[in-house]
Amino acid sequence: MEISALTRSVVKSNHALICPDGHVNSVIPGWTNCKTNVLINEQMGAGLCQALITMEAEGVVSGKTAVSQLFFYVIEGICTVNDTLLSAGQFVYFPPGENYEIKGASAGTKLLSFHKVYEPLEGYPTPKLFFGDSAKIPGPAFLGDPALRLQVLLPEDLSFDMAVNIFTYDPGGHLPFVETHVMEHGLLYLQGQGVYMLNHEWYPVKKGDAIWMAPYCQQWFTAMGKEPAVYIYYKNVNRFPSPI
Ligand code: UGY
Ligand code: MN
């Protein structure tokens, strides 16, 4: 018998692991006939919001961005975003002040969203709405290790203050060193499993798990099992992190 009092999920001051067994839905105005799990947000001390949306028949996710930019990635299924058909692996970026409408989804379609308040940069235009396809984005070896491949989904352009990347690790592949950095991460496992070290604590992780890493949360990962481990993650970038 499953013990319902046990979970792998933890919420700590500088990191969190949120596993599917703990998901509780939120009602979001304008997001109807869908299940929305807000996995990470400012309430836990984060500088981003990350949500998982599961569409039901007749599901609609619509609204207008205000101060935040909004990124949607199709994990599985199909849907129409502002009249453009998207399927698994495809994504869309909405800058602040943009109307969005997602509908026509097959029941069970899963979307991941990242939301971040946009920080303008003098001399650089606010990015424009655009669509992309992770299948068309190259995944070069990370820091010279062919067991690790990194795909960068958003343009590497100073207009953007956030990055969204997909990291693929062959079984046994691991980060080359313990990262200690000011940038924050929100992350979702798309495939496989492994062990994450967060602030010197060790967590078995797998497909469906979400992780929040606050600035300076120390981090290291190794993939386990018979298939590559794949996660998609957010990172704040391109802005000076202290007042000037
Ligand atoms: O981009 C990154 O900082 C990345 N290497 N971090 C991570 O995967 N935890
Ligand atoms: Mn990192």
Side-chain angles (χ1 to χ4, degrees):
M1 189 180 76
E2 294 283 329
I3 303 286
S4 65
L6 294 178
T7 181
R8 289 182 296 112
S9 298
V10 295
V11 180
K12 304 222 173 183
S13 61
N14 77 347
H15 66 272
L17 168 63
I18 308 289
C19 306
D21 60 4
H23 288 179
V24 175
N25 304 329
S26 290
V27 174
I28 311 287
W31 297 19
T32 53
N33 294 323
C34 58
K35 290 195 180 79
T36 303
N37 302 119
V38 180
L39 302 172
I40 297 171
N41 99 334
E42 292 78 358
Q43 307 297 324
M44 71 200 322
L48 77 143
C49 174
Q50 174 178 328
L52 178 68
I53 305 143
T54 306
M55 306 292 278
E56 294 163 2
E58 311 294 321
V60 175
V61 171
S62 76
K64 182 174 183 179
T65 55
V67 294
S68 288
Q69 53 209 313
L70 182 45
F71 174 95
F72 291 103
Y73 176 88
V74 183
I75 300 168
E76 59 187 61
I78 51 161
C79 58
T80 299
V81 182
N82 290 24
D83 295 327
T84 296
L85 188 68
L86 293 189
S87 56
Q90 298 183 318
F91 59 89
V92 58
Y93 167 88
F94 290 98
E98 201 75 46
N99 289 302
Y100 61 90
E101 186 179 53
I102 305 178
K103 56 186 184 186
S106 52
T109 291
K110 284 191 190 303
L111 306 170
L112 172 71
S113 65
F114 291 118
H115 315 228
K116 179 190 183 294
V117 173
Y118 182 66
E119 298 166 68
L121 183 64
E122 205 178 322
Y124 290 85
T126 302
K128 301 243 179 304
L129 187 165
F130 79 94
F131 292 89
D133 184 352
S134 63
K136 298 194 173 131
I137 296 178
F142 182 70
L143 298 180
D145 182 350
L148 275 55
R149 293 168 300 279
L150 189 72
Q151 294 172 280
V152 175
L153 306 192
L154 296 180
E156 291 178 279
D157 158 347
L158 289 184
S159 299
F160 286 85
D161 66 355
M162 64 186 263
V164 179
N165 303 332
I166 296 179
F167 219 154
T168 300
Y169 296 69
D170 287 338
H174 56 83
L175 278 175
F177 58 90
V178 175
E179 294 185 4
T180 306
H181 57 65
V182 67
M183 294 78 78
E184 182 180 17
H185 293 314
L187 171 164
L188 185 78
Y189 270 84
L190 299 174
Q191 181 185 296
Q193 58 173 284
V195 175
Y196 232 106
M197 188 280 280
L198 300 168
N199 219 29
H200 297 275
E201 296 187 68
W202 300 81
Y203 300 100
V205 293
K206 62 174 188 170
K207 179 180 173 179
D209 291 348
I211 295 177
W212 170 58
M213 292 174 233
Y216 293 109
C217 173
Q218 292 183 282
Q219 53 203 257
W220 180 87
F221 174 69
T222 188
M224 297 189 318
K226 306 257 186 269
E227 60 173 348
V230 182
Y231 58 77
I232 182 169
Y233 71 100
Y234 156 100
K235 183 175 185 174
N236 54 314
V237 293
N238 296 337
R239 298 294 182 269
F240 199 73
S242 304
I244 26 176

